[in-house]
């Protein structure tokens, strides 16, 4: 029999809340964390809004030894991991070190740290660059730091597939569980809110440049004109179901029941996008029919063509208005690989409390999105399974199903 | 001529290795403890060496900063080089 992978712990670092209860209350209340950037002065840039995490005191959460060697997003990831382990009631020191893996997703690396060190390189010379730059910028750094801090020596790695990363990492975590690993730390935390990082975001040409934070990120809306970056994400503790039961896990949020990934065809081929196929494969993998899905967490890019493709894919698989669709990321922006990890955490909380969190700011769904049952105020609903969608720059397309524990 | 004091070295160690409740103190007899026992790995020491080389315009051999060495040994080594160069 195939091992069952269940989510037993969540750690959330989001622009509208730190820790699951703060985040979940804010999310159900529709509190947006999208604001004018304060980390640096955005006045000279065409885009000035971000989902920025404020009020995070790294020294309160991170060992002093790690402060000189970590980027901001790694500190968030380490804090979120501590919260997730606490939520799961798991004590790594009491567990087999080779029975714990770390698989996180990352898309930007330690941009702010790298910004500082490159500035030293070009203004003062190579000898001024910190030795820690050797790994602090690196995509795998969160996985490495989590593994070292908690003594987790099972097979580990990093997935780099932009927004799809949080789903791909969790899919990979499930593979490790099926190969016999009792516990995997997964999810993703990302963010590059430094001037250099901002230039990287801007180079994609997809950011919104409005003057109103409540109108800057409007996926599926007739006024959709780009997205707003954010920082943060979620760390998930995934365990083999029997192992979680045996150690007395604090709770089981749900099972990683289905997962699939694909890649879009090159833009000039005229072939259809991967999303409908990937959704069907994830449902098949979970052994579910479309009607079994209680809510879809949309990728919600905020660009008209991609929004249309997503709305059409959902309607093609589920039928017009047949499934509630939501995008709570309208409150936090797009968190790169952290976004889909946060959506899994949010789906777990939705299953726990039987409530669908809202999509905010959107007022006028466009074209095929008008056929969606877009949830714009928190809605009580019987939820057995949730589907999370994510598409990353470059064509990455992934879908993951979380099923409520029986 | 320039000489490095134990306080100068401690400041560099804190900057490279961090400080806080979880980090061993550098006070008292810590100057005679091995870097490894004080929680400094090879990369943290590389960071310290880089800072020493820049600040005092010297070049340290790799052996000078093994995790088995102590802060006092490093201090004596640097001051020996500074004296020789004077």
């Amino acid at each position: 029999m195939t091992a069952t992978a269940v989510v037993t712990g969540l750690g959330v670092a989001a622009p509208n809340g730190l820790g699951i209860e703060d985040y979940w209350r804010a999310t159900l209340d529709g509190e947006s964390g999208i604001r004018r950037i304060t980390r640096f002065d955005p006045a000279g840039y065409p885009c000035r809004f971000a989902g920025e995490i404020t009020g995070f005191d790294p020294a309160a959460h991170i060992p002093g030894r790690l402060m000189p060697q970590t980027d901001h997003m790694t500190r968030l990831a380490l804090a979120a991991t501590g919260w997730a382990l606490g939520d799961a009631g798991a004590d790594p020191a009491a567990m087999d070190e080779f029975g714990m893996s770390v698989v996180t997703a990352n898309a930007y690396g330690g941009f702010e740290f790298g910004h500082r060190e490159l500035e030293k390189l070009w203004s003062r010379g190579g000898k001024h660059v910190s030795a820690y730059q050797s790994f602090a910028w690196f995509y795998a750094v969160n996985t490495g730091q989590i593994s070292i801090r908690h003594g987790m020596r099972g097979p580990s790695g990093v997935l780099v597939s932009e927004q799809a990363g949080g789903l791909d990492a969790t899919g990979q975590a499930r593979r490790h569980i099926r190969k016999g690993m009792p516990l995997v730390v997964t999810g993703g935390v990302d963010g590059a809110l430094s001037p250099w990082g901002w230039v990287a975001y801007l180079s994609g040409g997809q950011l919104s440049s409005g003057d109103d934070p409540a109108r800057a990120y409007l996926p599926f809306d007739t006024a959709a004109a780009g997205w707003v970056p954010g920082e943060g994400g979620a760390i998930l503790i995934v365990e083999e179901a029997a192992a979680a039961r045996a150690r007395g896990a604090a709770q089981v949020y749900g099972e990683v029941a289905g997962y699939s990934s694909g890649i879009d065809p090159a833009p000039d081929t005229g072939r259809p996008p991967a999303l409908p196929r990937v959704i069907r494969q994830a449902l098949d993998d979970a052994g579910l029919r479309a009607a079994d899905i209680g809510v879809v967490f949309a990728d919600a890019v905020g660009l008209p063509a991609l929004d249309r493709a997503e709305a059409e894919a959902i309607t093609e698989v589920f039928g017009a208005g047949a499934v509630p669709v939501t995008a709570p990321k309208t409150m936090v922006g797009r968190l790169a690989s952290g976004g889909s990890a946060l959506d899994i955490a949010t789906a777990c909380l939705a299953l726990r409390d039987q409530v669908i969190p809202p999509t905010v700011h959107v007022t006028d769904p466009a074209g095929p999105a008008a056929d969606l049952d877009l949830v714009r105020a928190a809605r009580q609903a019987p939820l057995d399974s949730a589907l999370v969608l994510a598409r990353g720059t470059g064509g990455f397309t992934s879908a993951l199903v979380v099923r409520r524990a029986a | 001529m320039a000489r490095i004091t134990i306080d100068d070295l401690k400041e560099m160690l804190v900057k490279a290795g961090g400080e806080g409740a979880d980090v061993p103190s550098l006070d008292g007899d810590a100057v005679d403890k091995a870097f490894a026992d004080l929680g400094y790995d090879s990369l943290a020491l590389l960071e310290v060496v880089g800072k020493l080389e820049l600040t005092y315009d010297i070049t340290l051999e790799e052996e000078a900063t093994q995790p088995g060495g102590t802060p006092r040994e490093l201090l004596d080594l640097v001051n020996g080089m500074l004296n020789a160069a004077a």
Side-chain angles (χ1 to χ4, degrees), chain A residues 238-285:
Chain A
V238 173
E239 297 184 73
E240 195 278 310
R245 229 179 357 258
R247 72 160 184 85
Q251 69 271 305
V252 171
Y253 288 101
E255 177 193 352
V256 182
Y259 164 72
S260 180
S261 66
I263 199 103
D264 274 334
D268 53 1
T269 59
R271 284 157 48 211
L275 190 58
R277 170 170 51 88
V278 167
I279 294 173
R280 287 197 180 94
Q281 286 171 346
L283 293 176
D284 286 350
D285 185 46

Side-chain angles (χ1 to χ4, degrees), chain A:
Chain A
M1 192 191 129
T2 310
T4 301
V6 293
V7 181
T8 57
L10 307 173
V12 166
N16 62 347
L18 290 169
I20 51 177
E21 294 315 327
D22 273 2
Y23 164 73
W24 186 228
R25 184 203 53 73
T27 298
L28 290 179
D29 288 349
E31 279 176 26
S32 176
I34 294 174
R35 312 172 191 96
R36 188 181 169 91
I37 293 169
T38 66
R39 194 76 46 75
F40 60 92
D41 180 6
Y45 299 90
C47 307
R48 295 165 296 278
F49 296 115
E52 183 180 308
I53 290 177
T54 53
F56 175 70
D57 174 15
H61 301 288
I62 305 305
R65 187 61 91 212
L66 295 179
M67 290 294 283
Q69 56 175 279
T70 44
D71 182 80
H72 176 66
M73 66 91 199
T74 299
R75 295 171 183 171
L76 291 171
L78 286 166
T81 303
W83 296 333
L85 287 166
D87 185 42
D91 174 14
M95 301 167 92
D96 173 17
E97 60 184 345
F98 292 102
M100 297 178 284
S101 288
V102 187
V103 181
T104 64
N106 196 265
Y108 286 97
F111 237 107
E112 191 179 1
F113 196 102
H115 175 140
R116 235 170 17 236
E117 299 309 319
L118 284 181
E119 200 167 28
K120 289 185 205 163
L121 175 66
W122 296 114
S123 64
R124 292 194 270 163
K127 284 195 169 239
H128 291 265
V129 177
S130 166
Y132 297 126
Q133 169 67 1
S134 56
F135 59 73
W137 74 273
F138 188 42
Y139 306 112
V141 69
N142 291 354
T143 287
Q145 291 285 20
I146 291 166
S147 157
I148 293 166
R149 184 176 182 195
H150 296 290
M152 298 173 164
R153 305 182 70 181
S156 296
V158 62
L159 276 290
V160 182
S161 51
E162 225 263 315
Q163 308 282 336
L167 304 189
D168 294 335
T170 307
Q172 176 70 359
R174 189 179 68 160
R175 287 189 195 104
H176 283 310
I177 297 288
R178 287 178 170 175
K179 287 180 194 164
M181 193 56 48
L183 183 147
V184 186
V185 175
T186 188
V189 175
D190 236 325
L193 300 185
S194 73
W196 184 39
W198 203 241
V199 170
Y201 282 120
L202 288 167
S203 71
Q206 298 187 341
L207 298 197
S208 155
S209 58
D211 281 315
D212 177 0
R215 301 284 296 163
Y217 176 36
L218 297 170
F220 301 118
D221 197 285
T222 50
W227 48 274
V228 169
E231 62 181 351
I235 294 294
L236 321 171
I237 307 301
V238 173
E239 297 184 73
E240 195 278 310
R245 229 179 357 258
R247 72 160 184 85
Q251 69 271 305
V252 171
Y253 288 101
E255 177 193 352
V256 182
Y259 164 72
S260 180
S261 66
I263 199 103
D264 274 334
D268 53 1
T269 59
R271 284 157 48 211
L275 190 58
R277 170 170 51 88
V278 167
I279 294 173
R280 287 197 180 94
Q281 286 171 346
L283 293 176
D284 286 350
D285 185 46
L288 296 177
R289 295 164 300 127
D292 297 324
I293 297 294
V295 57
V296 175
F297 287 78
D299 176 51
V301 179
L303 292 163
L306 284 162
D307 288 349
R308 194 180 317 118
E310 184 171 28
E312 285 170 354
I314 293 169
T315 296
E316 179 183 326
V317 176
F318 291 91
V323 66
V325 176
T326 190
K329 67 182 64 168
T330 46
M331 290 172 245
V332 298
R334 287 173 73 75
L335 314 182
S337 68
S340 50
L342 182 61
D343 275 344
I344 296 175
T346 311
C348 286
L349 295 167
L351 294 176
R352 181 190 73 178
D353 293 348
Q354 299 287 288
V355 56
I356 300 170
T359 304
V360 301
H361 300 151
V362 175
T363 55
D364 184 20
D371 289 337
L372 300 178
D373 173 15
L374 194 64
V375 177
R376 287 186 265 163
R379 182 194 296 177
Q380 297 287 335
L383 302 173
D384 282 320
S385 296
L387 173 70
V388 182
L389 308 180
R391 291 169 298 177
T393 302
F396 298 105
T397 304
S398 297
L400 187 140
V401 177
V402 188
R403 178 166 50 206
R404 196 180 181 206

